[in-house]
Amino acid sequence: MTAPTDPDQRVEPPFVADERTMLDGWLDYHRATLFWKCDGLSDAQLKTASVPPSTMTLLGLVRHMAEVERSWFAHFLGTDTTSLFCTEADPDGEWDNVATADSAADFETLRREISTYRELVAACALDDVRTMRGDRQISLRWIYTHMVEEYARHNGHADLLRECLDGAVGD
């Protein structure tokens, strides 16, 4: 299975599989769900905070998930952990700076982050442990589980944002 790059690659995870296949399946499903929730919207819609008083937008979610992919997997792998949209002066840059953002480039950034880390962690075992976030011992299994949770939570936000934009609903 390859990393989802568009909503057409949204595949239901298997009901019976080994643990790695199951975790990959659920993570890919939720990654593709975010793309699906954004599919067919205009640039302006992607940048619209449609659930006041929240300033959350669908493009902000896309940018945030690119940061999350990099943050967890890059720290685990010891690769480039440079933030994509955030700076020390603007730690919420992924959320705050969507008005002038290039939506197509931001979607491509998320696609690239997914593809990069999907490929790199394939060589790691779920039981592999790294010291991260100070002195915490964190397994790849924990990161996978957290990533599924992170996408699932934000896909719930995406459901509401999308419904408020154009009435589209779906799981």
Side-chain angles (χ1 to χ4, degrees), residues 2-156:
T2 61
T5 57
D6 62 50
D8 295 331
Q9 292 186 13
R10 190 168 177 254
V11 176
E12 293 283 334
F15 286 99
V16 178
D18 63 86
E19 183 181 18
R20 184 62 174 262
T21 302
M22 190 71 69
L23 288 169
D24 279 334
W26 277 107
L27 185 52
D28 283 347
Y29 177 80
H30 282 293
R31 286 166 167 162
T33 297
L34 181 57
F35 284 97
W36 177 57
K37 287 296 171 180
C38 297
D39 189 44
L41 294 176
S42 69
D43 194 59
Q45 287 172 309
L46 291 167
K47 296 175 180 182
T48 298
S50 60
V51 185
S54 173
T55 60
M56 185 180 288
T57 65
L58 286 167
L59 187 59
L61 285 171
V62 167
R63 292 160 56 100
H64 175 68
M65 291 314 301
E67 290 280 12
V68 170
E69 290 272 352
R70 177 170 283 203
S71 174
W72 284 105
F73 289 122
H75 277 95
F76 182 82
L77 295 162
T79 59
D80 182 10
T81 59
T82 305
S83 292
L84 300 163
F85 305 105
C86 303
T87 64
E88 204 170 294
D90 189 4
D92 294 321
E94 80 267 45
W95 299 107
D96 295 342
N97 302 318
V98 298
T100 58
D102 180 337
S103 297
D106 292 346
F107 276 94
E108 190 53 41
T109 296
L110 179 55
R111 286 183 187 97
R112 183 190 68 239
E113 295 301 303
I114 289 169
S115 179
T116 297
Y117 298 114
R118 180 111 181 32
E119 182 179 324
L120 291 174
V121 298
C124 301
L126 291 175
D127 289 329
D128 286 354
V129 173
R130 304 287 192 273
T131 301
M132 299 171 50
R133 312 283 170 159
D135 62 354
R136 290 186 185 153
Q137 296 287 298
I138 300 177
S139 71
L140 182 58
R141 177 181 287 102
W142 186 93
I143 292 172
Y144 262 94
T145 303
H146 175 69
M147 291 298 294
V148 169
E149 174 271 332
E150 182 89 10
Y151 270 101
R153 179 166 34 96
H154 287 311
N155 283 339

